[in-house]
Each structure stands twice: as structure tokens, then as C-alpha cells.
Amino acid sequence: MTEQAELTRPQTRKPLQTVNPATGEPGRTYNQHSIEDAHGAAAAAHKAFHEWRRTSFDQRAAILHKAAEILRARKDGFARLMTAEMGKTVDDGRAEVEKCAFHCDWFADHAEEYLRHEPADIGGGEAFITFNPLGVVLAVMPWNFPFWQVFRAAAPALMAGNGMLLKHASNVPGSALAIEEVLHQAGVPKDLFRTLLLPSSDVEALIKDKNVSAVTLTGSVPAGRSVATAAGSVLKKCVLELGGADAYIVLEDADIASATKIAATARMVNGGQSCIAGKRFIVVRSIIEQFEAALVEAMRGYEFGDPAKEGTRLGPMQSVNARDEIHSQVEESVAKGARLLLGGKVPDRQGAWYPATMLGNVGPGQPAHDEEVFGPVAAVIAAEDEADAIRIANDSEFGLGSGVLTGDLDRGRRIAAEELEAGMSFVNENVRSDSRTPFGGVKHSGFGRECGVFGIREFVNIKTVHVKPAAQSTGSGVE
């Protein structure tokens, strides 16, 4: 049996069953695709790519602008779909769909500029650099921003002339299929973008499919290792956006009221279920008591409630298992010396609920210090001074986002630009992704970038072209 035949042997698959995390009640069920379906989709996408790459930027842009229109027109329904599948508040869901629409518009308007030929001078003749599409990109995406993280990858990939296969998280199949529907309605060829409802166990086989040229993953560190290993084994490009334990340094000259408002916003984005949520607040000891007291009050304002109701600030976690893991990290941290300043109790109700929680006296050896806590738990860590705060911030396996809260902008600018080991550093505001600037991390937070000019150039062939009249050509024996 050949390797390809071995990978595509028939298998029986149970339907995907969604669960409403706010109530614990079952939702819709969806039939999964087979690995044969996936390989067939990859072959069809590769064929469609060869036609798509010949389309003009104007043709692609018209389709992406149409996708943005559809997203805005159906914003409420998509938001409520996210609420039902993974518990996102409906307000956050609407904002997420709007962000996707802006992203489509942005790359529709700027892709040609980002990928325009660049002239080069290599000492004679004509030289320039081109940016040509690679082929079919496999996107392996998580549940926490079920629309944004797909469009974040898809809009630039499609505008660059690539095709895409989407393997989404198993708890958001409705969102995955809705994204496919939006793009197809907008005019993306049906074979060029396909949603595949597959288990994670099929990802390696799909990466190794000859019709897949590259892979992008947003997910956990273990998932990143697995994807990078599979991609490396067949020498395919990959971009990884992994976990984060974002550190915000709070200096003694920070305005406490402003700093705690920023900190609470940073920690509670998407119910704390975000890779770039602020997770470690490293505070100079001289102001730590004031900061803790003010942050408790700011965090207390995030009361949980029905995520389908407008105005709710904190919905459920994405699953009971996820909630229990968060609670276990909190309990272990307290057992190892952390102080529970707020929350930290599992409520007696159905669903995956967990309150806004805050820990003080957090230090090495505690999960709240060493691990990524993927929920509404703020960890406050004491530092002796600026240098100590920077040391603590960088003493982490992660390096996604980071922040500096200070009254001295020159000081904040220097620390953010030169000292913090992260892919993004924000001064006096919470870290966020933006279509216009590169997004990604270092260390175990991954490699490669999304968004902006650097993001769209991840999945292109950056090619040097040198043109010289034949009569002038002398050649060279030097590499």
C-alpha cells in the first residue's frame, strides 16, 4: 500500500455535536468530512488556484469588498452563532464581525501596493523583486475568535492569489461553514476556499498532501510543535501564532486609575480567552497595594451574565473542561502562595461559568506565573524597580504581546521598543491585532507574521528577477 493510499483509507466518523457553553445544552450536529474528502478538496483547490492566480488585483478586490458587505449585513446572525457555539457575548461577536469586514476591505484596497514589484540595483541591467502566490494554504484555526482568526489569514492569502483549506476547531463547525458561505456568496470560486470538518488527527496527512503548499496555525504550543514538525518533514512553509502570557509592566509613575482600567480591559478581552490578553501585571513594589486595590474594583465590574443579552460583559468559558482547567490553575497557585483577591470560586449553575478572578503575591512555581491561564484571571507580580520588572516580563517561554504603563512616554517607548521580548509592545493601552500592522510573536509564541505588508508576504514566493540584454551578458562563476 502506498503512503497516500494508507492516509486515505475509509473511516467511520461520528457527527460533530455542538454544546451551548452557557447552558450545557446540546446544539446542532454536523457531519464530518472524511480524509478522502479532504484530499479531494486539496486537489480541486490546487486546480482552482492556477486560475485564481491569473486574476487581477481589481477582480479579487471586488470579491473581498463584497465579502465585507455580506459580513456587515449578517453581523447579528453571525454574532449569535458564535454565542451559541463558544459563548462569546453578542456585543463582542458583532465587533468581531465588523473587524473581519474592515480586514477584507483593507487588503482589498492595499494588496496590490503590498505586492508591487520592487526595483533593485545589483550593478547592471534591470533587477526587481516579485511576490507570487505559493498555492493552497491550509489554515488550522481555534475557537476563541472563530471568524476573525480565519479572515485574518484568508483575506491576505486570497488577495495574494492563493487558495485556502480551513480546518476549524471542532466546537465551532457552524461558524466554519458560515465563513465558507460568505466567501462563496461574495464570488470566491467554490473549490478555491473550502471548509473541512475534520479531527485534528487528520491535519498531518493534509499538510503532507502534495496539493497543499503551506500551513498557518493559530493554537496551542503543542499544536504548533505538531504542525511545525509535519510541515518541516515535507519542507513546507508555516506560520504559527501560539500561546501567550502577556506581561504588562506598571511603573511607579503610572496613573493608577488609568493603569488599572487598561489592565482590566487587557485581561478580560473575550472573557480572558485570548492569546494577547494581559495575563501578568508586573508592578513596582512602591505602588503595588494601590494598584491591587484599584484593579480589584475594575475587575469586579465584569459580572457574568447571559452572553446573548446586550450589555453583558462576561460570558461563560468555552467549555466546562476549559473552566475546570482554569480553576485548577488558580487553586494550585493559591496552594503555592498566591493570594486570592477576587473570584476564584466555581458558581453552582449549569454551564461553563467562571468569575473575574485576581491573584496577588504571584511568583515562580505557580501556574499563574509560569503558564498561560486562558480565562478571566489576573496575576499581579511584584518587582523592585524597572530593571527587575523587565527581567520578570522576559523570564517566560512566551513572547506574544506586552505592555508598559507609565507617565513618562519616552521611558515607555524605550522599554517597549528595546527591552521587552515580544512581537508587540503597547504603551498605555491594551495589546490588540490590527489589519495594518504585523501580528505575531517570538519564543514559544510562534513565528511568522499576519496582517500588514509583512503578513501578506508570508505566503508568497519572493523572487529576484534580473534582466540584461544578451549581448551584454557575461555571467559569473561566483554564487
Side-chain angles (χ1 to χ4, degrees):
M1 180 181 289
T2 66
E3 180 184 16
Q4 185 68 5
E6 194 171 38
L7 290 172
T8 58
R9 58 176 177 262
Q11 52 190 284
T12 302
R13 293 198 165 153
K14 295 180 181 179
L16 289 175
Q17 173 70 67
T18 62
V19 176
N20 187 327
T23 64
E25 296 175 353
R28 288 189 59 185
T29 59
Y30 297 82
N31 291 324
Q32 293 194 73
H33 292 100
S34 68
I35 191 63
E36 293 95 338
D37 294 330
H39 288 301
H46 183 71
K47 182 177 179 181
F49 153 72
H50 283 290
E51 297 181 16
W52 179 253
R53 68 175 300 180
R54 305 298 177 191
T55 59
S56 69
F57 283 108
D58 284 346
Q59 288 173 296
R60 298 174 207 161
I63 291 172
L64 266 291
H65 280 310
K66 182 62 177 178
E69 290 179 17
I70 296 169
L71 286 166
R72 291 189 175 102
R74 299 178 61 186
K75 173 174 60 178
D76 190 71
F78 292 148
R80 294 189 181 280
L81 174 59
M82 287 185 267
T83 299
E85 290 193 322
M86 50 71 61
K88 188 183 295 288
T89 67
V90 71
D91 291 342
D92 283 352
R94 291 189 185 112
E96 181 171 333
V97 177
E98 281 284 357
K99 187 168 186 173
C100 294
F102 176 88
H103 195 66
C104 289
D105 283 336
W106 180 264
F107 278 97
D109 290 338
H110 292 85
E112 185 172 10
E113 169 195 344
Y114 289 157
L115 300 177
R116 185 173 292 131
H117 291 183
E118 289 189 2
D121 183 359
I122 59 174
E126 176 194 6
F128 57 94
I129 298 143
T130 67
F131 305 94
N132 298 314
L134 285 182
V136 177
V137 179
L138 172 62
V140 183
M141 292 293 145
W143 51 265
N144 55 334
F145 291 91
F147 273 65
W148 166 239
Q149 284 166 319
V150 176
F151 277 97
R152 192 170 74 197
L158 292 170
M159 282 303 303
N162 294 301
M164 179 166 280
L165 301 175
L166 169 62
K167 186 274 182 245
H168 216 325
S170 60
N171 62 332
V172 290
S175 296
L177 292 170
I179 291 166
E180 179 186 71
E181 182 182 7
V182 168
L183 291 172
H184 289 172
Q185 284 183 353
V188 173
K190 283 185 167 51
D191 287 337
L192 188 74
F193 183 97
R194 286 288 308 278
T195 284
L196 298 170
L197 302 183
L198 298 167
S200 296
S201 57
D202 282 343
V203 169
E204 181 177 354
L206 204 48
I207 291 172
K208 293 180 178 180
D209 188 295
K210 67 179 182 180
N211 294 301
V212 170
S213 297
V215 59
T216 181
L217 165 82
T218 298
S220 67
V221 173
R225 289 195 183 101
S226 177
V227 163
T229 298
S233 73
V234 285
L235 299 178
K236 292 183 182 180
K237 175 71 178 287
C238 66
V239 168
L240 305 177
E241 193 269 281
L242 308 178
D246 287 13
Y248 282 63
I249 291 174
V250 186
L251 298 172
E252 73 283 350
D253 58 5
D255 177 81
I256 298 295
S258 175
T260 51
K261 182 178 179 181
I262 293 166
T265 300
R267 174 64 277 198
M268 298 303 290
V269 61
N270 201 43
Q273 300 171 119
S274 170
C275 296
I276 55 169
K279 300 184 177 81
R280 297 179 296 142
F281 299 96
I282 303 165
V283 187
V284 172
R285 195 179 295 279
S286 62
I287 62 165
I288 197 166
E289 289 186 11
Q290 295 170 270
F291 181 85
E292 285 181 341
L295 185 56
V296 164
E297 292 308 309
M299 295 279 287
R300 206 187 298 277
Y302 288 83
E303 295 183 2
F304 53 65
D306 183 355
K309 185 177 179 181
E310 294 182 4
T312 296
R313 301 189 76 187
L314 176 60
M317 301 297 95
Q318 63 101 358
S319 70
V320 170
N321 286 342
R323 187 273 313 279
D324 290 346
E325 181 179 349
I326 294 162
H327 186 55
S328 175
Q329 290 174 301
V330 169
E331 286 193 313
E332 184 179 345
S333 296
V334 171
K336 292 183 176 181
R339 290 184 295 117
L340 184 62
L341 303 177
L342 179 71
K345 307 295 182 185
V346 176
D348 184 16
R349 59 186 292 178
Q350 286 292 108
W353 299 94
Y354 203 69
T357 297
M358 184 171 155
L359 298 173
N361 198 40
V362 172
Q366 301 170 10
H369 183 280
D370 300 341
E371 301 172 7
E372 180 179 28
V373 181
F374 214 65
V377 181
V380 179
I381 303 167
E384 299 305 322
D385 52 24
E386 175 190 306
D388 193 39
I390 293 169
R391 177 192 64 79
I392 294 169
N394 290 337
D395 186 20
S396 170
E397 67 177 288
F398 298 107
L400 190 55
S402 59
V404 185
L405 305 179
T406 175
D408 184 338
L409 294 185
D410 288 337
R411 186 184 191 189
R413 185 181 295 108
R414 172 183 55 81
I415 294 170
E418 301 174 13
E419 301 291 348
L420 293 177
E421 297 170 358
M424 297 160 285
S425 292
F426 283 36
V427 180
N428 293 333
E429 61 178 338
N430 59 295
V431 176
R432 59 189 178 277
S433 58
D434 191 292
S435 305
R436 297 160 288 196
T437 55
F439 177 85
V442 295
K443 298 192 281 190
H444 285 183
S445 289
F447 49 76
R449 292 294 180 265
E450 296 179 286
C451 300
V453 63
F454 296 98
I456 199 171
R457 290 182 177 181
E458 287 286 2
F459 294 119
V460 296
N461 174 17
I462 303 173
K463 180 196 293 186
T464 297
V465 178
H466 188 213
V467 181
K468 200 170 185 180
Q472 298 178 20
S473 182
T474 58
S476 172
V478 180
E479 187 178 77

